[in-house]
Amino acid sequence: MPVAMCPGSFDPPTRGHVDVVERASRYFEGVVVAVIANPSKEPLFSVQERRSLLADALAHVENVEIASFDGLLVDFARSKGITLAVKGLRAVSDFEYELQMAQMNTTLAPGLDTMFMTAKPSWAFLSSSLVKEVARYGGSVEGLVPPGVATALSERYGRER
Ligand code: PNS
């Protein structure tokens, strides 16, 4: 059984992310959650914060490792000897961009494959951006994100208000 990676921004991690990593961990010897350090959009949480929120949310899954990278995903994959990315798909709207990235990645690094895992229907509407928007305006994100993320969001926006 190979080791797979779940790359993403995780700004912040949601229950949808946790669900995909948990389920992927059942099919692979290990899963490396690869957190992009500097996503194209300025993140709310630093890479260290996102790593620590993920480590906390996934502490119950033994074969999961949290890592971070900068630059191209294919270079990170090569450095770790990983040849498989697992990405969650919530809806058809995710598919076009995800397919494009998967095809670019396999063009840059032949032998790097991408598999898609369908999101649980209960998390199909969930995104990090919506979670941030709800939290920013004082709405409750409890149940949508791991407890540590809910606390971090209220601290972050509480401090700023
Ligand atoms: O959670 P996200 O924002 O959908 O994650 C996107 C991510 C980080 C997986 C993607 O942007 C990425 O791999 N970035 C690294 C830069 C890269 O390799 N670009 C070329 C791939 S098309």
Side-chain angles (χ1 to χ4, degrees):
M1 283 214 300
V3 170
M5 63 180 172
C6 289
S9 313
F10 305 105
D11 184 44
T14 67
R15 295 276 300 276
H17 291 130
V18 170
D19 177 57
V20 168
V21 176
E22 275 173 353
R23 283 156 60 211
S25 75
R26 299 188 207 134
Y27 299 100
F28 301 100
E29 190 177 319
V31 173
V32 177
V33 180
V35 184
I36 187 160
N38 295 300
S40 45
K41 224 171 86 188
E42 178 70 23
L44 177 65
F45 293 103
S46 71
V47 64
Q48 290 82 4
E49 288 170 323
R50 285 176 281 139
R51 284 184 66 147
S52 137
L53 292 169
L54 280 162
D56 187 41
L58 288 159
H60 60 290
V61 193
E62 246 175 39
N63 56 342
V64 167
E65 174 194 328
I66 316 294
S68 49
F69 72 103
D70 228 340
L72 290 176
L73 182 65
V74 292
D75 291 331
F76 171 80
R78 205 175 286 123
S79 74
K80 287 270 188 187
I82 295 174
T83 58
L84 184 68
V86 175
K87 304 278 318 259
L89 273 189
R90 289 165 298 189
V92 177
S93 49
D94 282 342
F95 181 70
E96 204 172 333
Y97 184 53
E98 291 295 344
L99 180 65
Q100 223 181 347
M101 281 200 285
Q103 290 176 334
M104 176 59 87
N105 283 333
T106 200
T107 301
L108 294 174
L112 177 62
D113 286 317
T114 302
M115 279 184 182
F116 295 114
M117 181 169 272
T118 53
K120 243 191 198 161
S122 37
W123 306 131
F125 66 95
L126 192 54
S127 71
S128 298
S129 331
L130 278 187
V131 158
K132 280 184 281 193
E133 185 163 318
V134 170
R136 177 158 22 112
Y137 294 113
S140 170
V141 292
E142 230 136 285
L144 303 177
V145 293
V149 173
T151 304
L153 280 167
S154 65
E155 281 174 4
R156 183 59 45 100
Y157 287 123
R159 269 205 299 273
E160 280 176 9
R161 263 201 292 265

